[in-house]
Amino acid sequence: MLSLSLPEAILAFFAPTLIFLMLLAMHIVLPAWRVTGYVRDEASNELLKYRLNGLLVFAIAVLVWWFEVGGIPRDWLFRATFYSIAGSSVLAVVLTAILVAGGSTKQSAKKGASVWAGRVLNKSYFEHLDFKMYLYIFGGTVLALNALSGVAYHWELYGFNSNVGLFLYAGMWLFFVTDYFCFERVQLYTYDIIHERLGFKLIWGCLTVYPYLYVIPLWGVTHFPSPEFKGSIAILTYGGPILLFLFGWTLSRGSNLQKYTFKRWPERKFLGVMEPEAIASANRLILCSGFWGVSRHVNYLGEFLIALAMALVLGHFLSFWVWIYPIFIVGLFVHRQRTDDVFCAEKYGVAWDEYCKRTPYRIIPGIY
Ligand code: NDP
């Protein structure tokens, strides 16, 4: 992966910036769904407005990759990975400098907000571009392209003797990202949009960690030949993780969608069957039925099962590389759940204590 010629290495370094600008241009120019969001502008207290077209931008990017537009081979992004990580990190530093420097507010000065955590919650330009939502378009798109490119690299090495698990792995990421874009509006009701500020943590996370480091397992296993499972072992090795992935997705998508439905239409039954039950605080409602009655963050459990399925499906159980992503996810979500709990306790007051009594488990029902 390091054996690029000097001109290629330079191109690889600047690839994230070029992709960033191309996707940004597409996002701005292509038609979009205009929606009112959930979060309020910190200055005007108006609900923020968004233009959503991630699915369209993503679909075009995948077609460009597939048809090798510009003569860029399908495996090139993967071969360019290390140089691109350097390039995307530098881009993150530059964007942080621009966004954080221009973002001091009274509130942030009081809180002493740092470059790491950010100062402003949002940067939107003329109701046409919401910078945070765009960062997720970049992150998700490049993540899927990197996964596909890694498989193309493996195919170049092994052809018809390739590891089926790698194709399934890339298929899972493709599904994951497509699903995200299909439900892009639901993202407006999640922690990243409600609480995360535009600092280096979020910007580098979306430019480097999410698109390049989530597929770290590929660095370790694309060179390996197929583990060659046969018969019922193969069915178990590949079928088991697919079922686990779908189960995890059901928990994660189901709970996020239920919360979204509840926030928009508090009286409406989720999917026409799940009756909403709520605990009322001063001016807010806590959903405590369905997925949100199983544990306080069953969506994180779903996400962990997805990560576990992705590790297992590769078929290289003894390789440390494949376990890096699930281990990261455990750390991320244990920390995030605790932080979100503190935010929610502040927002909802005693009603949150009541919810915690009623739904005592944080993530895994009966265990944690
Ligand atoms: P949530 O979507 O759960 O958002 C948390 C917020 O939702 C809270 O701050 C609160 O905000 C509201 N909320 C929480 N519980 C309740 C309740 N019972 N009733 C009503 N409102 C509630 O968290 P995330 O944004 O972290 O996760 C969203 C999805 O994204 C998850 O599926 C997660 O797994 C996934 N994700 C994936 C990542 C990855 O790297 N793979 C990274 C991060 C997230 P308020 O009351 O103000 O509405």
Side-chain angles (χ1 to χ4, degrees):
M1 279 162 72
L2 283 169
S3 56
L4 296 185
S5 64
L6 183 63
E8 265 199 310
I10 294 171
L11 181 63
F13 179 83
F14 286 106
T17 305
L18 295 174
I19 297 171
F20 184 90
L21 294 174
M22 281 192 278
L23 296 180
L24 182 61
M26 282 202 270
H27 173 55
I28 291 172
V29 169
L30 290 172
W33 185 25
R34 287 187 180 270
V35 302
T36 301
Y38 175 63
V39 171
R40 289 179 186 276
D41 181 65
E42 287 180 295
S44 67
N45 202 32
E46 296 281 312
L47 284 172
L48 289 170
K49 301 235 176 356
Y50 299 85
R51 286 176 69 254
L52 306 179
N53 62 5
L55 190 61
L56 184 58
V57 173
F58 175 58
I60 294 173
V62 172
L63 289 176
V64 167
W65 169 82
W66 176 255
F67 288 107
E68 302 184 325
V69 175
I72 307 281
R74 287 189 199 117
D75 65 343
W76 191 81
L77 279 180
F78 182 67
R79 288 192 289 113
T81 297
F82 295 148
Y83 301 93
S84 295
I85 286 177
S88 67
S89 299
V90 171
L91 178 63
V93 171
V94 172
L95 288 176
T96 306
I98 296 169
L99 290 164
V100 176
S104 66
T105 61
K106 266 191 216 160
Q107 193 195 7
S108 64
K110 206 164 56 188
K111 285 189 177 167
S114 63
V115 168
W116 172 255
R119 289 182 180 147
V120 289
L121 191 57
N122 268 86
K123 276 271 180 191
S124 30
Y125 301 90
F126 315 111
E127 290 188 5
H128 205 77
L129 166 69
D130 180 85
F131 200 77
K132 210 149 82 170
M133 286 305 282
Y134 172 66
L135 283 175
Y136 286 96
I137 293 183
F138 175 89
T141 302
V142 178
L143 164 68
L145 294 183
N146 276 330
L148 292 169
S149 182
V151 173
Y153 177 82
H154 180 75
W155 173 260
E156 287 294 317
L157 293 179
Y158 293 104
F160 286 102
N161 294 321
S162 294
N163 178 5
V164 176
L166 264 165
F167 287 84
L168 293 172
Y169 173 82
M172 286 176 179
W173 275 124
L174 199 60
F175 180 96
F176 182 93
V177 173
T178 307
D179 170 72
Y180 168 85
F181 286 126
C182 286
F183 294 99
E184 206 178 8
R185 188 169 190 176
V186 177
Q187 171 78 358
L188 302 175
Y189 294 71
T190 58
Y191 181 99
D192 289 0
I193 304 302
I194 303 171
H195 296 300
E196 284 283 1
R197 292 179 175 267
L198 267 167
F200 185 73
K201 181 176 154 211
L202 184 85
I203 296 171
W204 188 64
C206 284
L207 294 185
T208 303
V209 179
Y210 184 32
Y212 291 100
L213 301 184
Y214 274 24
V215 288
I216 265 186
L218 292 176
W219 304 3
V221 302
T222 41
H223 289 84
F224 290 170
S226 171
E228 296 199 357
F229 299 113
K230 298 252 184 316
S232 50
I233 299 289
I235 294 171
L236 202 65
T237 310
Y238 300 125
I242 291 173
L243 291 179
L244 189 64
F245 178 90
L246 291 174
F247 180 57
W249 173 77
T250 306
L251 289 184
S252 171
R253 177 51 63 215
S255 49
N256 294 326
L257 210 51
Q258 189 197 1
K259 175 158 68 74
Y260 166 78
T261 308
F262 175 73
K263 298 273 177 189
R264 292 201 62 201
W265 306 280
E267 309 289 327
R268 189 181 282 185
K269 286 184 188 172
F270 178 54
L271 301 177
V273 288
M274 256 183 223
E275 192 79 58
E277 286 172 38
I279 301 170
S281 71
N283 52 1
R284 287 169 164 273
L285 292 172
I286 301 171
L287 176 61
C288 58
S289 60
F291 290 99
W292 298 85
V294 174
S295 73
R296 301 204 295 277
H297 264 294
V298 78
N299 49 353
Y300 294 169
L301 173 61
E303 199 84 15
F304 170 70
L305 297 180
I306 287 174
L308 189 60
M310 286 174 168
L312 292 171
V313 83
L314 288 165
H316 294 292
F317 310 116
L318 298 180
S319 165
F320 177 68
W321 291 98
V322 308
W323 299 108
I324 294 177
Y325 179 59
I327 292 170
F328 168 80
I329 281 291
V330 170
L332 174 75
F333 285 143
V334 166
H335 176 261
R336 173 166 294 197
Q337 190 282 327
R338 287 178 174 265
T339 317
D340 193 46
D341 227 43
V342 173
F343 277 126
C344 288
E346 265 174 36
K347 276 186 278 191
Y348 291 98
V350 286
W352 191 255
D353 298 336
E354 199 185 324
Y355 177 49
C356 292
K357 272 192 210 125
R358 187 168 166 162
T359 307
Y361 292 103
R362 293 168 182 271
I363 298 177
I364 311 176
I367 298 179
Y368 176 74

